[in-house]
């Protein structure tokens, strides 16, 4: 390419910009397919894995996880601790030291003042962030100088390091771009954001792709892959074909884990299959008149052979053992939170005790009302369809009718204010995989105060005893004490069973074997995207 005249070289590169990794230009271009399109490229308006994915590509956090499971500095030089003086003995003050000479993609400096502004923006009720968990514990955020951020907390709060300006929360936003507006809910920033991450967006073609270029101001140096494109392909089979024809060089986070054997068989690719701090689950709407009864929830769960369901659906990509590890990570206690047993006889007895009696036709009813339940799943995800059908069959065997309803991937996970059925509570059972976070604190999943639209408590469970244990766990930084508290919490959650866990989730992605340097961490496959390279 260097031998070509400049104009001719530019023409060749431009012609190759949307051809995946099939041409000579692919040493500087990579296209990755994924099923889900975000609602916004401002991660503060996204939720879960999508927020983290775009945060890692386009922005920086104070800290993030590496591929060894260690929390490491990103914009910050180190992770604060009591030992290094970053956390005060009383746990109420946390100090971060930022790297010098950080810049946003427009060349403007990133300083501690941007961190302060970002925290205040999440705290601002005018901004439609998905959760303020962690940020609501910050009493004050100050920047005594451009590279020092000081947080003073309302109370000791152990999970803060993984929440505030961290991948479980939201990244550092540019004050100089956003501070002039009353909120950032409907700005062009959501389509063409300016961050300090390895890449910057050049174009978002809705329903098709996001095109990005390497950020020359990235703190680790300009990425070697000049152009990165994320292409939205809702149908997994189409994405697999694009991999086979090399029209894309990767397929990120395959939603249909049943594709695992097929992915592994595609020539010229490798498959990343890594356990993450997430679970696949059946979520019960505990505010629903029928499934608010824990006996009904346990009955429905014990009627299902989860081991068989996972084996039949995911073909070796996952297993159902110790699913609770994906929710409680290092605090998981299988004695307190065992896998749900397959026991249809016990399930029938629980329904009998709850007043749901079998009639002559083998159907259950109570006071003349049949036991009919709505089970919502994602469309265009064959694995979800298999699970849904199997669950319906197991339920039918104990006299329960389950009706499946499908939603597109984007609609399924949409916030309540945009009509999302999960976050809006329009279900009795929902097949949903979710990330809890990088700490065993599960406040955002099970606290009364975090029922949507105020958080991610999708089951809508509200129990003062659960809240009390969550509070205790947050207020101590002593690992052994936290483990004991979380063991008690797990026993209570198992008794209440707001969610029935199928498996600890794995993030399964496929990439061209020409890709070098890609590894997966708790923060996801893009944690080090700025250091990826492509061989010729």
């Amino acid at each position: 390419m260097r031998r070509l005249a400049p104009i001719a070289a530019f023409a060749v590169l431009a012609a190759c910009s949307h051809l995946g990794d099939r041409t000579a230009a692919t040493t500087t271009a990579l296209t990755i397919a994924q099923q889900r399109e975000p609602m916004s490229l401002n991660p503060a308006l996204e939720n879960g894995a999508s927020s983290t994915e775009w945060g890692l590509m386009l922005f920086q956090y104070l800290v993030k996880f590496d591929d060894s499971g260690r929390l490491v500095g990103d914009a910050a030089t180190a992770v604060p601790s009591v030992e290094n003086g970053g956390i005060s003995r009383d746990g109420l003050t946390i100090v971060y030291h930022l790297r010098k000479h950080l810049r946003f993609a427009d060349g403007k400096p990133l300083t501690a003042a941007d961190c302060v502004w970002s925290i205040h923006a999440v705290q601002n009720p005018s901004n439609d962030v998905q959760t303020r968990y962690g940020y609501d514990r910050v009493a004050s955020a100050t920047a005594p100088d451009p590279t020092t951020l000081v947080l003073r907390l309302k109370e000791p709060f152990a999970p803060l390091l993984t929440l505030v300006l961290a991948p479980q929360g939201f990244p550092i936003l540019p004050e100089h771009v956003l501070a002039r507006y009353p909120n950032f809910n409907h700005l062009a920033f959501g389509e063409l954001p300016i961050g300090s991450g390895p890449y910057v967006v050049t174009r978002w073609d809705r329903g098709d792709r996001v095109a990005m270029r390497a950020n020359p101001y990235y703190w680790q140096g300009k990425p070697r892959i000049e152009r990165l494109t994320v292409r939205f392909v809702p149908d997994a089979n189409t994405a697999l074909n694009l991999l086979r024809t090399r029209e894309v060089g990767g397929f990120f986070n395959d939603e249909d884990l049943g594709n695992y054997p097929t992915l592994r068989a595609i020539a010229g690719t490798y498959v990343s299959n890594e356990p993450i701090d997430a679970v696949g689950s059946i979520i019960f709407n505990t505010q629903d008149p029928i499934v608010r009864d824990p006996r009904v929830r346990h009955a429905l769960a014990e009627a299902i052979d989860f081991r068989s369901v996972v084996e039949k659906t995911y073909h070796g990509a996952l297993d159902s053992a110790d699913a609770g590890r994906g929710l409680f990570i290092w605090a998981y206690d299988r004695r307190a939170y065992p896998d749900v047993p397959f026991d249809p006889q016990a399930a029938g007895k629980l329904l009998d005790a709850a007043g749901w009696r079998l009639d002559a036709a083998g159907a259950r009813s109570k006071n003349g009302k049949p036991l009919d339940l709505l089970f919502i799943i994602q469309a265009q995800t064959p694995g979800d369809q298999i699970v849904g059908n199997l669950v319906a069959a197991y339920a039918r065997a104990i006299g329960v009718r389950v009706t499946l309803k499908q939603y597109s991937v984007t609609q399924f996970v949409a916030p309540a204010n945009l009509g999302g059925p999960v976050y809006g509570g329009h279900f009795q059972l929902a097949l949903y995989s979710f990330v809890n976070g990088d700490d065993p604190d599960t406040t955002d999943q099970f606290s009364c105060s975090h029922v949507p639209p105020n958080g991610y408590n999708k089951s809508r469970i509200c129990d003062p005893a659960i809240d009390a244990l969550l509070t205790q766990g947050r207020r101590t930084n002593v690992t052994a004490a936290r483990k004991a508290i979380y063991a008690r919490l797990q026993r209570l959650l198992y008794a209440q069973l707001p969610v029935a866990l199928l498996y600890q989730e794995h993030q399964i992605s496929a990439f061209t074997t020409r890709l070098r340097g890609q590894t997966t961490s708790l923060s996801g496959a893009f944690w080090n995207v700025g250091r990826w390279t492509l061989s010729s």
Side-chain angles (χ1 to χ4, degrees):
M1 294 296 290
R2 288 195 295 269
R3 296 192 183 98
L4 296 175
I7 294 177
F10 177 81
V12 171
L13 288 173
C16 296
S17 62
H18 291 296
L19 293 180
D21 67 343
R22 293 184 297 172
T23 71
T26 58
T27 55
T28 60
L30 176 67
T31 298
I32 297 174
Q34 68 180 53
Q35 291 175 270
R36 180 183 174 186
E37 182 171 11
M39 304 295 293
S40 173
L41 296 181
N42 177 354
L45 296 175
E46 272 290 291
N47 64 60
S50 180
S51 175
T52 303
E53 172 196 358
W54 294 101
L56 291 168
M57 284 192 285
L58 305 177
F59 295 85
Q60 277 184 278
Y61 300 94
L62 290 170
V63 298
K64 61 184 178 182
F65 279 92
D66 69 9
D67 55 359
S68 299
R70 299 175 303 165
L71 197 61
V72 297
D74 189 11
T77 59
V79 180
S81 67
V82 174
E83 291 74 19
N84 65 21
I87 301 178
S88 63
R89 292 291 176 182
D90 62 5
L92 293 176
T93 302
I94 299 179
V95 179
Y96 294 88
H97 297 286
L98 271 62
R99 302 181 193 279
K100 296 179 180 179
H101 311 304
L102 293 175
R103 292 190 188 186
F104 288 101
D106 60 1
K108 300 294 184 182
L110 184 161
T111 71
D114 292 288
C115 300
V116 171
W117 187 87
S118 298
I119 291 169
H120 290 164
V122 175
Q123 293 173 331
N124 181 357
S126 297
N127 288 317
D128 294 336
V129 297
Q130 291 299 295
T131 179
R132 294 182 173 85
Y133 185 52
Y135 295 83
D136 56 1
R137 274 33 178 214
V138 178
S140 69
T142 58
D145 62 61
T147 61
T148 305
L149 171 67
V150 179
L151 305 183
R152 303 196 188 280
L153 310 186
K154 299 175 183 178
E155 60 185 14
F157 186 67
L160 184 133
L161 295 179
T162 64
L163 286 164
V164 173
L165 302 184
Q168 189 182 337
F170 306 115
I172 302 167
L173 301 172
E175 179 182 13
H176 70 279
V177 174
L178 297 173
R180 73 192 76 170
Y181 303 105
N183 63 65
F184 51 50
N185 300 328
H186 304 291
L187 302 180
F189 184 86
E191 293 193 8
L192 293 171
I194 298 295
S196 59
Y199 286 91
V200 59
V201 175
T202 57
R203 183 171 179 175
W204 183 1
D205 296 326
R206 294 271 184 172
D208 183 26
R209 69 189 67 204
V210 169
M212 294 166 276
R213 62 172 173 80
N215 175 10
Y217 301 110
Y218 184 50
W219 76 271
Q220 288 187 310
K222 183 180 178 181
R224 296 279 298 278
I225 298 176
E226 176 64 33
R227 294 184 307 282
L228 179 65
T229 299
V230 174
R231 182 172 170 181
F232 306 117
V233 185
D235 181 68
N237 287 324
T238 301
L240 294 176
N241 286 331
L242 291 173
L243 268 179
R244 291 187 185 98
T245 60
R246 301 189 182 182
E247 293 176 74
V248 299
F251 180 21
F252 168 65
N253 198 21
D254 184 3
E255 300 276 351
D256 184 3
L257 300 178
N259 289 327
Y260 184 60
T262 305
L263 277 175
R264 295 185 66 190
I266 296 177
T269 65
Y270 71 91
V271 177
S272 169
N273 181 357
E274 298 293 335
I276 57 175
D277 51 353
V279 291
S281 69
I282 296 173
I283 298 177
F284 299 107
N285 185 347
T286 62
Q287 293 183 359
D288 176 80
I290 297 177
V291 296
R292 69 162 50 121
D293 187 337
R295 294 173 296 183
V296 173
R297 300 197 292 269
H298 267 279
L300 292 168
E302 292 178 29
I304 302 166
D305 186 346
F306 286 117
R307 179 179 178 180
S308 177
V309 168
V310 171
E311 287 178 351
K312 291 178 179 178
T313 307
Y314 303 117
H315 308 293
L318 303 167
D319 66 67
S320 63
D322 291 334
R325 192 178 304 281
L327 191 56
F328 299 102
I329 50 176
W330 54 261
Y332 172 62
D333 185 338
R334 67 167 57 92
R335 295 169 299 178
Y337 200 92
D339 297 327
V340 176
F342 176 46
D343 193 339
Q345 186 175 5
K349 290 180 179 178
L350 284 169
L351 290 177
D352 288 341
W356 295 98
R357 303 288 183 174
L358 280 171
D359 61 21
R364 290 187 182 271
S365 61
K366 182 178 182 180
N367 300 324
K369 180 180 176 63
L371 186 48
D372 291 353
L373 299 173
L374 175 66
F375 188 18
I376 63 172
I377 63 174
Q378 295 184 63
Q380 295 181 306
T381 306
D384 286 18
Q385 184 72 55
I386 293 170
V387 173
N389 288 331
L390 288 171
V391 168
Y394 282 118
R396 189 163 53 248
I398 59 167
V400 180
R401 179 183 176 186
V402 169
T403 300
L404 300 180
K405 185 173 182 179
Q406 300 185 40
Y407 292 86
S408 71
V409 174
T410 301
Q411 184 183 12
F412 191 73
V413 299
N417 66 320
L418 296 178
V422 176
Y423 288 95
H426 305 305
F427 68 95
Q428 290 167 304
L429 291 78
L431 183 61
Y432 200 95
S433 61
F434 63 91
V435 177
N436 173 59
D438 303 327
D439 186 274
D441 172 49
T442 52
T443 296
D444 220 13
Q445 304 298 336
F446 302 120
S447 169
C448 295
S449 61
H450 288 256
V451 172
N454 300 313
Y456 298 138
N457 181 354
K458 297 168 284 293
S459 71
R460 292 161 166 75
I461 188 76
C462 183
D463 184 324
I466 290 175
D467 275 6
L469 289 169
L470 289 168
T471 299
Q472 291 178 38
R474 295 192 305 268
R475 288 183 173 174
T476 178
N477 287 303
V478 180
T479 300
R482 295 189 79 200
K483 281 186 175 181
I485 292 166
Y486 291 132
R488 292 163 57 198
L489 174 65
Q490 288 171 70
R491 290 187 185 93
L492 184 53
L493 285 171
Y494 187 80
Q496 294 286 340
L497 208 69
V499 300
L501 302 184
L502 282 78
Y503 53 80
Q504 178 177 6
E505 189 173 347
H506 287 209
Q507 188 175 95
I508 296 179
S509 304
F511 297 99
T512 171
T513 53
R514 294 177 51 241
L515 185 62
R516 302 286 187 268
Q518 188 280 324
T519 57
T520 299
S521 79
L522 285 175
S523 296
F526 293 101
W527 80 276
N528 66 343
V529 63
R531 311 312 298 159
W532 294 0
T533 60
L534 281 169
S535 65
S536 57

